[in-house]
Amino acid sequence: MRTARVGCAAATLLVWLVFPTVARAAEQPGSPTTVEPNYRIATEWWSELPKKWTPVGWKNHMFRYNLLFNGAIVAVPNVNRRARQWSGQGVLAWPSLANPTDDGTIRQGWRHDHETPVLRTDWSGSPYERAATSGARFQQEVFAHIPGAKDVQIGIEPLFAWARVSIQDVEPKADSPKKCAFSYRILAPVIGRSMTEAKNLRYSWQPYPRKLSFQPASEGSRYAVLREPDGKIRLAIVAKKGCRVGFRSGEKEAVIEIEFDVRRGSYVDILIPILPTPQDVMERECALGYDKALAQSDAYWGRVPATAATIDVPEEEVTAAIRHYLKMAEVVAEKDPATGEYCALTGAWTYANVWSTPNSMLPGLLLDPMGYHAQAARYLAVFAKHQGTTVPPGKAYQPHPGYLGTPKIYTAVNWLSDNGALLWAFSQHALLSGDEEFIKEYTPTIIKSCEWIRDARRLTGHGGIEGILPGGVATDECKEVQSIWNDGWNYKGLITAVRLLKRTKHPRAAEFEAEAADYREKFRSAFFQVAK
């Protein structure tokens, strides 16, 4: 394991890399001292991203949960066309303290004392909460678990969200009631999303599509459950301390009602499967319980590759962000049960398909630099397998056996930059990992991609500047243009491939080195001409 213990200067460099404008703003001309950028200062320059959601799940599982900024738990299994068969099987659990408007008073964060990604929602800052809960300060903690807490085998193993709602503290008042109410509304997970901030989340408040029945805990079943009409379990109340649980059902919603004793340590554990689940499977998970499931998950998430690097900076928030981003990389990925293929997705919910250019940055800028080489290779393999099956997006192009693009089943919008970005990711992985087996297996993939760049540059009669790539799609607007974005990525992929081929003394290294030099000269000439 490679460990980098980085001091203040390198912490500053991280801020420069992530927030270059902010870092420059920290320098105050004319001031007798220069303020060194740090995490606390950086948080004051921009407001928190509003109405966000955070994925909670298991490595490479086809499904995952998304928790809204206010603690609402969204379980949507059918986030893309590969999961259409599970349409209508999701659920939205909306806590009574979940303000639909993001006023910044509800705080969320990862628990740093667990290897498992445990997302904490703290409602204690909300004036609404203090008014509604008799001075009790509520917290929700959610993590995902699969039986056995091991790597997925098929990709659709039973997946559960464990949620513990607890009273963390109480502000005592002489006239405060000794009990307070908390609830979850059980709804259909129909929530619109948009890139526009004002419409980032749009609530539909649609009722759950099937009538649920409440079965309280009894001798036959130690756990209170919400049961589907076919007998499967939608939700279970597994354990409780200092509270009582009931159920109310109406035409528009079903409600889990929880009455808490207003004292620190009161809690309830709720188990929400991603899909309605047979009773025997639920019984086994319920019997395991929150704490044992978390201990199992900690052991699983605590395993890291022998080649892994760590970054340790004085500001724990930066260290934690890197650590959790590595985990989220594998949560926002899937193993397709239909093909057995692994693929990292661009997003957990709205973007649960693949844009190959930004996806290439996952292995190239995170996994490989951090020593997660096996994971990087796993997510690259699918692109090599389907090389040549995607037609380059532009009317000047025909199918080509070397073109690297998004496999059809994952396609969102294809960009012409995808070939270069993926070529760079393959070459970068080979250079950083030094994996001889990978280099041997995927050098033909790299060579063919270089050949596509060579052949595409020689196309004529397309009406654009010749010698660089003909017009192609560069953005989600789908306009076909000759674009710095497209040429830049393909040139970057080509010169990185040349670096690899020269290192391995490949007989075609000189050929593609000359190709790259000519590409650069043709682009510079075209750019300067247009700039005039």
Side-chain angles (χ1 to χ4, degrees):
M1 178 181 291
R2 295 175 289 123
T3 301
R5 299 198 176 276
V6 187
C8 290
T12 301
L13 177 59
L14 282 174
V15 177
W16 270 94
L17 290 171
V18 180
F19 307 119
T21 305
V22 171
R24 287 193 294 272
E27 299 175 357
Q28 301 174 359
S31 173
T33 60
T34 298
V35 178
E36 182 180 3
N38 58 37
Y39 178 84
R40 183 191 61 77
I41 292 174
T43 62
E44 295 174 358
W45 275 307
W46 288 299
S47 59
E48 181 70 21
L49 181 69
K51 294 184 178 179
K52 60 185 177 296
W53 56 85
T54 303
V56 173
W58 201 258
K59 294 181 184 180
N60 301 306
H61 200 288
M62 195 171 190
F63 310 137
R64 62 203 59 82
Y65 301 85
N66 286 284
L67 268 68
L68 304 190
F69 66 94
N70 55 20
I73 302 170
V74 185
V76 182
N78 57 309
V79 293
N80 50 47
R81 57 186 174 276
R82 296 176 301 287
R84 284 175 181 166
Q85 67 189 86
W86 294 283
S87 177
Q89 300 298 300
V91 67
L92 167 62
W94 187 277
S96 53
L97 299 180
N99 187 350
T101 302
D102 190 353
D103 61 3
T105 60
I106 298 173
R107 308 293 294 176
Q108 279 185 328
W110 298 110
R111 286 275 301 266
H112 297 331
D113 55 342
H114 285 284
E115 293 291 344
T116 305
V118 181
L119 189 66
R120 181 189 68 253
T121 301
D122 180 2
W123 290 293
S124 63
S126 169
Y128 168 71
E129 187 223 26
R130 289 195 291 274
T133 60
S134 307
R137 293 180 173 178
F138 276 89
Q139 178 178 278
Q140 175 185 267
E141 296 170 295
V142 179
F143 70 94
H145 181 260
I146 69 170
K150 54 190 177 182
D151 287 337
V152 298
Q153 300 300 306
I154 56 174
I156 53 172
E157 286 83 349
L159 178 67
F160 301 95
W162 279 99
R164 173 168 287 180
V165 179
S166 60
I167 295 179
Q168 294 296 298
D169 201 1
V170 177
E171 293 182 355
K173 297 178 182 178
D175 58 346
S176 293
K178 301 301 181 184
K179 299 183 184 301
C180 64
F182 185 94
S183 65
Y184 281 99
R185 297 166 64 194
I186 308 302
L187 301 161
V190 183
I191 299 177
R193 286 95 60 207
S194 169
M195 291 175 67
T196 306
E197 182 177 320
K199 299 178 180 179
N200 196 31
L201 287 174
R202 301 186 305 279
Y203 311 108
S204 294
W205 309 118
Q206 292 190 19
Y208 191 74
R210 298 171 294 280
K211 186 173 179 58
L212 297 168
S213 58
F214 181 66
Q215 178 183 313
S218 63
E219 291 184 3
S221 174
R222 292 182 295 163
Y223 317 107
V225 300
L226 289 187
R227 194 178 295 277
E228 297 268 344
D230 63 0
K232 291 181 178 178
I233 308 302
R234 175 65 279 175
L235 178 151
I237 295 91
V238 180
K240 58 186 186 294
K241 177 183 177 182
C243 62
R244 283 146 294 282
V245 178
F247 177 68
R248 172 168 51 85
S249 179
E251 290 185 5
K252 295 186 177 181
E253 62 184 13
V255 182
I256 297 290
E257 297 179 322
I258 309 166
E259 184 185 66
F260 277 88
D261 294 340
V262 182
R263 64 171 183 264
R264 184 177 182 179
S266 296
Y267 73 88
V268 63
D269 291 343
I270 295 175
L271 185 62
I272 305 175
I274 195 77
L275 302 170
T277 299
Q279 180 162 335
D280 60 335
V281 178
M282 283 291 290
E283 286 276 352
R284 287 193 292 271
E285 186 70 15
C286 288
L288 184 64
Y290 181 101
D291 294 313
K292 288 184 179 179
L294 182 54
Q296 277 190 3
S297 297
D298 279 343
Y300 174 77
W301 285 99
R303 297 195 295 268
V304 298
T307 54
T310 59
I311 294 178
D312 184 10
V313 300
E315 295 174 300
E316 171 58 25
E317 294 88 350
V318 176
T319 301
I322 296 169
R323 186 170 65 246
H324 281 286
Y325 191 29
L326 283 163
K327 294 175 180 179
M328 289 302 101
E330 296 188 79
V331 168
V332 189
E334 67 177 46
K335 181 177 183 180
D336 189 341
T339 63
E341 296 170 346
Y342 290 87
C343 189
L345 307 179
T346 300
W349 192 6
T350 299
Y351 295 100
N353 282 301
V354 174
W355 281 255
S356 288
T357 299
N359 265 51
S360 72
M361 301 177 200
L362 176 64
L365 297 180
L366 178 70
L367 297 177
D368 276 321
M370 292 300 295
Y372 283 65
H373 301 310
Q375 289 78 2
R378 172 183 291 162
Y379 299 133
L380 286 170
V382 67
F383 298 102
K385 179 180 178 180
H386 294 273
Q387 185 176 26
T389 63
T390 302
V391 180
K395 60 179 180 292
Y397 300 100
Q398 298 295 322
H400 189 288
Y403 185 79
L404 285 168
T406 307
K408 185 176 181 180
I409 195 170
Y410 298 106
T411 296
V413 180
N414 291 321
W415 302 344
L416 199 65
S417 58
D418 293 345
N419 176 80
L422 289 168
L423 174 58
W424 166 75
F426 275 96
S427 304
Q428 183 82 340
H429 172 72
L431 287 165
L432 291 179
S433 69
D435 185 338
E436 293 183 1
E437 288 299 318
F438 180 91
I439 293 170
K440 180 180 178 180
E441 181 176 358
Y442 289 105
T443 292
T445 298
I446 291 168
I447 291 292
K448 287 190 291 184
S449 178
C450 293
E451 289 174 340
W452 176 80
I453 296 174
R454 178 201 64 194
D455 295 346
R457 290 184 56 235
R458 285 159 176 72
L459 292 173
T460 59
H462 49 76
I465 299 170
E466 296 183 358
I468 61 175
L469 295 181
V473 174
T475 71
D476 284 1
E477 291 182 332
C478 295
K479 296 178 181 178
E480 295 183 16
V481 293
Q482 286 186 294
S483 162
I484 293 174
W485 181 253
N486 289 339
D487 281 297
W489 271 111
N490 278 280
Y491 176 74
K492 183 176 181 66
L494 182 60
I495 59 171
T496 310
V498 167
R499 193 174 303 128
L500 172 66
L501 296 175
K502 290 175 71 175
R503 178 180 293 185
T504 60
K505 296 180 171 53
H506 194 279
R508 298 187 69 181
E511 172 192 345
F512 290 115
E513 185 175 29
E515 181 72 23
D518 185 67
Y519 192 179
R520 185 173 188 269
E521 185 54 38
K522 290 292 197 304
F523 178 84
R524 283 167 56 87
S525 175
F527 183 83
F528 291 146
Q529 184 63 35
V530 171
K532 290 180 180 180

